[in-house]
Amino acid sequence: MTENYDTAQKIRDLAMEHNDFFRKSIPLIASENIMSPLAMEMLLTDFGFRYAEGLPHHRYYQGNFYVDQVEDITIDLAKKLFKSDQADPRPVSGTNANTSVIYGLLNPGDKISTPPLSGGGHISAAKFGAVGLRGLNIVNYPFDVENMNLDVDKTIKLIKSEKPKVCLFGQSVFLFPTPLKELKDAAAEVGSKIWYDGAHVLGLIAGGKFQDPLREGAEIITGSTHKTFPGPQHGIILGKTDEKTWKNIQRGVFPGTISNHHINAMAALGVTLAEELDYGREYAGKIIENAKYLASCLAEDGFKVLGEKNGYTESHTLVVDVRNNGGGRHVADLLEKSGIVLNKNLLPWDDGNKSQDPSGLRIGTQEVTRIGFGKSEMKEISRLIKIAVIDKKAPEVVKKDAADLKSRFKKVKYCYGDLEAYKYIKLLN
């Protein structure tokens, strides 16, 4: 063997251990999912080694005959699924999609209105994210903690007084639909474009179970494609806007913020779009049903689940205040040791200094739903969280119970094909 073979094998061993860890754990990270076998197959193709700069049929490289066809199909599927006039599947992540829109529509010094970080806003819209790097003037919408949503009346006043060039809506902690219908007239009055970051809820929008931003006032939707939308780690931009605006956004993608757009992931996105057209409505409905039921179970088991006034959630996400249980960092670490994987999260009353030890937890049901969990499993998840956090049962005991629960669910659902979930696929013996 060559000198560095053992080091390469160590990387492989760690990858296999990672698969095994998730095979035995309960995955509740709200920004992750598991792909279908056909979409996963696309990541292993020769597409992953090639370049395709520019738009289909107008490339800067040769050898893109098949890539152009795949991208054309992917664009058509996206426009059909989301009923959009335009679609660009080239962004390599949700943040890249956001950055492309920022560079396409806004110049340094322009004003943008965004949700606050403590109210679930995404880091790309913060002063240390892409918005800040572009040198934009940021104003944050007022947040209504009781309703866990934007304060409509105060937001209307803010838009009319601040007159932002772009109004950005959409969050990383996204319990309820954004009141776009109530806010679009204020934006129109001051000439603001409405942009909707649908990264977390893209699959719920695709399934017709959350809201329909392009019919409710948004001109642009950005999103990552691996959360409630169960595809590869990639991004997408959807539009229902004028040709000049769309061309500016596409220039923001290339040459603005990327060169090659990871063609294998784009092909996997195309497969997932087709699967969502066939299975997305059923899958999205089940995600939300599970989230609402898990929230109610956790509340019954003694946790403070936010959003109670409005039924806890209408998305895949629920948020729990664990200040009285040791704080978000402590509880998330404890649950990881107990075989339950979720994340600590800022709550509306936290300031930025608490980002590493915030008050809350964020929980998502999209991945466990993809492998077949239903209401009885949501109740069992709540029980496991309770005995770990409130009853202080030994983590190794809870971890065994979590693995036993997970062992009964071995297939990826709502997709084409039949593949064992979390199976490590070897190409070398």
Side-chain angles (χ1 to χ4, degrees):
M1 289 295 176
T2 57
E3 180 181 352
N4 294 301
Y5 175 80
D6 288 345
T7 303
Q9 187 61 45
K10 176 61 176 177
I11 294 171
R12 187 192 207 190
D13 291 343
L14 289 169
M16 294 172 70
E17 290 172 19
H18 174 89
N19 275 46
D20 191 59
F21 170 77
F22 273 96
R23 181 175 64 84
K24 295 176 180 176
S25 300
I26 308 296
L28 299 174
I29 298 286
S31 54
E32 297 176 354
N33 213 322
I34 185 169
M35 280 204 301
S36 77
L38 186 55
M40 193 182 302
E41 183 180 309
M42 293 301 102
L43 298 183
L44 300 176
T45 63
D46 188 79
F47 285 143
F49 318 137
R50 306 302 169 189
Y51 255 67
E53 291 184 337
L55 290 166
H57 315 287
H58 301 280
R59 306 293 193 186
Y60 294 85
Y61 283 63
Q62 305 310 122
N64 290 149
F65 176 75
Y66 298 102
V67 174
D68 288 349
Q69 293 177 73
V70 171
E71 193 161 330
D72 285 342
I73 292 169
T74 301
I75 290 169
D76 288 343
L77 287 167
K79 291 196 292 187
K80 181 179 180 181
L81 179 63
F82 293 100
K83 302 178 182 65
S84 63
D85 295 338
Q86 300 117 342
D88 194 325
R90 293 177 300 166
V92 296
S93 70
T95 296
N96 177 222
N98 288 353
T99 306
S100 299
V101 172
I102 289 166
Y103 276 75
L105 297 187
L106 294 148
N107 296 310
D110 284 345
K111 187 177 292 185
I112 184 172
S113 53
T114 72
L117 278 181
S118 60
H122 189 254
I123 55 172
S124 61
K127 63 182 180 181
F128 48 78
V131 163
L133 291 174
R134 186 60 166 159
L136 302 181
N137 182 2
I138 308 165
V139 291
N140 289 145
Y141 306 121
F143 195 79
D144 182 340
V145 176
E146 185 178 6
N147 288 301
M148 286 300 290
N149 211 330
L150 303 183
D151 185 309
V152 173
D153 291 338
K154 291 180 180 178
T155 297
I156 288 172
K157 290 179 181 177
L158 179 139
I159 291 170
K160 288 183 176 181
S161 63
E162 296 288 347
K163 298 179 174 60
K165 187 174 182 180
V166 172
C167 294
L168 169 59
F169 299 105
Q171 293 124 273
S172 291
V173 178
F174 214 163
L175 304 185
F176 304 104
T178 296
L180 290 177
K181 293 177 182 177
E182 293 87 343
L183 300 171
K184 66 178 182 180
D185 288 345
E189 183 178 318
V190 299
S192 299
K193 289 189 177 297
I194 295 180
W195 159 28
Y196 184 99
D197 181 354
H200 268 268
V201 293
L202 194 68
L204 307 182
I205 293 169
K209 296 294 185 179
F210 192 65
Q211 65 182 127
D212 190 351
L214 294 178
R215 256 57 59 187
E216 295 175 22
E219 291 186 44
I220 300 296
I221 297 176
T222 54
S224 50
T225 57
H226 53 270
K227 297 172 185 174
T228 55
F229 191 91
Q233 293 211 0
H234 203 67
I236 195 167
I237 305 173
L238 305 163
K240 199 173 183 64
T241 188
D242 61 90
E243 185 176 349
K244 180 181 178 182
T245 297
W246 186 247
K247 284 185 176 179
N248 285 339
I249 289 171
Q250 289 201 301
R251 281 194 289 267
V253 178
F254 174 87
T257 60
I258 61 168
S259 175
N260 182 47
H261 54 285
H262 302 182
I263 307 162
N264 57 340
M266 186 266 293
L269 169 58
V271 169
T272 311
L273 286 162
E275 291 176 329
E276 283 290 286
L277 282 162
D278 287 338
Y279 304 107
R281 188 170 189 85
E282 180 186 2
Y283 177 44
K286 197 67 175 179
I287 290 170
I288 297 168
E289 180 183 302
N290 280 343
K292 292 173 75 69
Y293 190 67
L294 177 56
S296 66
C297 290
L298 286 166
E300 288 176 8
D301 282 337
F303 290 97
K304 186 176 181 181
V305 186
L306 274 60
E308 180 180 8
K309 179 181 177 182
N310 296 309
Y312 301 114
T313 185
E314 292 294 336
S315 76
H316 64 304
T317 303
L318 50 141
V319 180
V320 185
D321 178 358
V322 290
R323 285 177 293 180
N324 294 333
N325 307 104
R329 180 175 183 174
H330 166 74
V331 175
D333 287 346
L334 173 64
L335 289 173
E336 183 181 37
K337 294 183 179 76
S338 304
I340 300 167
V341 186
L342 43 70
N343 68 276
K344 61 185 180 290
N345 213 91
L346 290 171
L347 296 186
W349 48 82
D350 291 332
D351 62 35
N353 295 326
K354 287 188 64 72
S355 61
Q356 287 299 316
D357 189 15
S359 300
L361 301 176
R362 184 182 67 170
I363 299 172
T365 58
Q366 71 289 340
E367 185 169 345
V368 289
T369 301
R370 190 108 204 261
I371 58 173
F373 277 38
K375 280 190 173 182
S376 61
E377 289 74 39
M378 296 303 108
K379 192 170 187 66
E380 178 64 7
I381 289 172
S382 181
R383 184 189 75 84
L384 292 173
I385 293 173
K386 176 182 181 293
I387 63 175
V389 177
I390 295 177
D391 301 341
K392 303 186 186 305
K393 202 165 203 177
E396 58 269 20
V397 175
V398 184
K399 188 173 184 178
K400 182 179 182 302
D401 288 349
D404 288 343
L405 172 61
K406 187 71 172 299
S407 69
R408 303 198 294 269
F409 297 86
K410 298 182 178 180
K411 299 292 183 182
V412 182
K413 298 182 179 296
Y414 309 106
C415 64
Y416 311 137
D418 186 15
L419 179 72
E420 181 181 336
Y422 312 102
K423 180 181 180 180
Y424 187 89
I425 301 171
K426 287 186 176 182
L427 297 184
L428 294 177
N429 292 325

